[in-house]
Amino acid sequence: MGEEVPEYILNSSVEKLSVAYDSESAAYQTSTNFGNKMYVVKGSEYGGNSPTNVKIFDNITRSWIIPTVLGMKPIHVGGHSAVLLNKDRILIVKRDSELDDCIWFLEVDTPFVKEQKKVFGTEVVAWSKGVAGNAPKPIVISGPSGVGKGTLINKLMKEFPSTYGFSVSHTTRAPREKESDGVHYHFTDRITMEQDIRDGKFLEFASVHGNLYGTSIEAVEVVTDSRKRCILDIDVQGARSVRASSIDAIFIFICPPSFEELEKRLRARGTEVEEQIQKRLRNAKAELDEAKSHGPFDHLLVNDELEFCYDNLKKLIASDELATPLHRSTMKNSKILVSDVEFKTDKTFLHCGDKDLLLLDISSLKGGAPGRTRGINVCPVESSGGCVNGIAQL
Ligand code: ADP
Ligand code: 5GP
């Protein structure tokens, strides 16, 4: 297993990490300085499985700040190490955890976090779990109500059940007759959904035709964790939010052949009362104008004859995958050496014994909070015994 540690790794300058045990609350914590602030990340108390806590100490005002914390939080009891990366995020490496759950990023000043600070008007930090290797780009499909998005997506999922997975959105609208909870949507109420939005559980959300709709982080991760390509059926506002986020996706807008045909399809579907039909048609006009002028879309596809449109959709998705470079480099100091981590052995994970080192190559990171940071290359290397404990940035 592993390779010999290259000379440059052992000779490189190493930042020793502050990992302290807080005996009062029986938990490990690290503190990482960034600008005038110190980010304190505290693991769960022993015996508990509550999520990791984050507080910020402002060195100027000499006071503690409790930030808004977005994204799914790691849970760990065995301690962790932390180091600031790229001057915008803290790499957290959990001890005593499985390899697919040991690398986490706490974003403190990424573009996403800067944007969210304006939205919330508070200090914001955002968690993102690190994932080894690449995952296929999600596909965002938008278009006016009744244009045929659902029909096209269903065909794709039926023809390629192991390739594509549907991101099941949340909505406050009532289920239609043939819709089931957890399959077509997660049906919820406004109070619960608004609280979940405040808790940072959503990648995006929007008020559409008088109801709230949103894509939870979990909905996308359930699909991508199953190694399927995620399909999102969301409105133009949602597509705009995803475009502005760190998610690297392909954006497709489906147009009707004419407004009259759209109205015909919407009425023929028979799922909406007249008032809703009128509202959806009014909104369709605005959506079509926006998509055609300055919308966030990479491609517009006309759904006239269904089979023809479906073939074009498949071609378009395939060509986008080929045209996309696998990596998008974001990090300058891109090699990280981790040496104090003991991983639980599991037949599906690489075993890294306590004398071994883990080399993380983060030169090709994709994505980020809220969600997953992908494209990490993980390479176990054997230590020659002289290495430090903690994380070294090479
Ligand atoms: P959306 O998901 O965009 O709201 P649907 O997929 O529910 O739209 O389609 C609305 C209606 O139009 C459905 O009854 C569907 O069978 C029909 N439809 C979809 N595509 C076509 C097409 N190319 N030609 C004719 N009818 C279509
Ligand atoms: P419907 O009520 O017909 O199922 O959906 C109405 C609209 O809501 C459609 O345009 C659909 O794309 C959009 N929508 C569905 N789920 C989401 C979501 O999670 N986020 C956003 N922004 N729009 C959604």
Side-chain angles (χ1 to χ4, degrees):
M1 183 194 71
E3 312 162 351
E4 276 207 354
V5 185
E7 195 67 16
Y8 71 90
I9 293 181
L10 294 174
N11 291 338
S12 65
S13 68
V14 161
E15 189 177 340
K16 276 238 180 186
L17 295 150
S18 65
V19 182
Y21 183 68
D22 175 2
S23 54
E24 221 168 86
S25 63
Y28 279 96
Q29 65 180 37
T30 52
S31 40
T32 309
N33 288 310
F34 170 59
N36 295 317
K37 300 204 171 74
M38 182 174 72
Y39 290 81
V40 175
V41 177
K42 195 172 191 173
S44 316
E45 293 171 21
Y46 272 104
N49 63 354
S50 54
T52 303
N53 249 318
V54 181
K55 352 188 245 185
I56 304 170
F57 187 72
D58 187 322
N59 282 315
I60 294 179
T61 60
R62 312 294 302 161
S63 58
W64 286 101
I65 303 165
I66 305 297
T68 302
V69 183
L70 303 178
M72 282 165 70
K73 305 165 184 72
I75 290 176
H76 61 294
V77 293
H80 63 266
S81 300
V83 69
L84 183 70
L85 287 186
N86 211 39
K87 296 195 182 133
D88 63 5
R89 70 197 73 190
I90 298 168
L91 168 71
I92 303 282
V93 181
K94 287 168 58 176
R95 299 177 105 180
D96 196 19
S97 62
E98 284 164 356
L99 199 51
D100 73 339
D101 185 44
C102 74
I103 302 163
W104 287 78
F105 295 90
L106 181 68
E107 298 193 6
V108 296
D109 204 35
T110 54
F112 171 72
V113 166
K114 283 181 182 156
E115 200 52 42
Q116 296 304 309
K117 282 180 189 174
K118 286 186 223 153
V119 174
F120 283 90
T122 59
E123 274 296 330
V124 171
V125 293
W127 282 107
S128 148
K129 187 160 126 176
V131 178
N134 287 299
K137 257 185 182 188
I139 302 163
V140 173
I141 296 188
S142 296
S145 185
V147 75
K149 301 178 297 294
T151 308
L152 289 161
I153 292 169
N154 283 342
K155 280 174 81 66
L156 209 54
M157 306 261 296
K158 213 169 170 186
E159 188 177 347
F160 307 100
S162 54
T163 307
Y164 299 104
F166 185 61
S167 156
V168 181
S169 293
H170 282 62
T171 183
T172 60
R173 91 151 157 72
R176 291 174 187 147
E177 207 184 327
K178 287 187 183 149
E179 285 178 334
S180 25
D181 192 28
V183 178
H184 299 91
Y185 281 105
H186 296 290
F187 294 100
T188 180
D189 60 84
R190 193 171 274 268
I191 291 173
T192 311
M193 189 153 165
E194 282 175 348
Q195 184 57 50
D196 286 348
I197 290 168
R198 280 195 292 276
D199 290 346
K201 292 186 184 164
F202 282 86
L203 281 176
E204 64 76 33
F205 60 91
S207 175
V208 191
H209 316 316
N211 281 298
L212 266 186
Y213 291 78
T215 310
S216 70
I217 298 166
E218 198 178 348
V220 174
E221 290 179 355
V222 162
V223 178
T224 43
D225 285 355
S226 65
R227 296 267 152 203
K228 290 184 186 175
R229 195 166 180 188
C230 185
I231 303 181
L232 292 87
D233 173 350
I234 60 178
D235 87 316
V236 178
Q237 307 166 73
R240 201 175 283 293
S241 305
V242 175
R243 183 57 116 183
S245 79
S246 52
I247 287 192
D248 190 19
I250 162 176
F251 294 78
I252 302 170
F253 187 84
I254 312 289
C255 308
S258 67
F259 203 77
E260 292 67 38
E261 174 64 18
L262 180 70
E263 181 167 358
K264 212 170 99 192
R265 285 184 197 170
L266 197 50
R267 289 188 184 285
R269 190 171 69 185
T271 49
E272 263 71 37
V273 296
E274 184 58 28
E275 191 198 340
Q276 263 295 322
I277 290 175
Q278 292 303 334
K279 192 181 261 184
R280 283 170 184 246
L281 288 173
R282 272 196 308 276
N283 291 342
K285 283 207 168 71
E287 285 176 313
L288 285 163
D289 286 347
E290 194 177 348
K292 285 180 181 163
S293 52
H294 52 278
F297 301 99
D298 301 307
H299 310 277
L300 303 186
L301 212 55
V302 179
N303 181 18
D304 192 349
E305 202 277 306
L306 184 61
E307 289 308 319
F308 183 71
C309 180
Y310 178 57
D311 280 347
N312 283 336
L313 177 66
K314 285 193 286 184
K315 281 184 201 149
L316 200 153
I317 291 170
S319 66
D320 176 86
E321 193 70 353
L322 286 177
T324 309
L326 270 179
H327 297 300
R328 197 175 62 194
S329 185
T330 52
M331 292 287 165
K332 288 195 196 99
N333 301 323
S334 61
K335 297 256 190 333
I336 305 284
L337 193 62
V338 183
S339 67
D340 68 344
V341 186
E342 285 177 47
F343 297 105
K344 282 180 187 160
T345 320
D346 182 291
K347 60 179 183 303
T348 58
F349 303 124
L350 295 164
H351 175 65
C352 194
D354 54 2
K355 288 229 168 70
D356 292 335
L357 308 170
L358 202 65
L359 185 63
L360 306 182
D361 183 341
I362 52 166
S363 60
S364 308
L365 291 193
K366 294 197 296 187
R372 298 280 160 97
T373 300
R374 301 174 188 282
I376 302 167
N377 288 314
V378 183
C379 171
V381 286
E382 277 170 22
S383 118
S384 53
C387 198
V388 293
N389 283 334
I391 303 174
Q393 199 167 355
L394 311 173

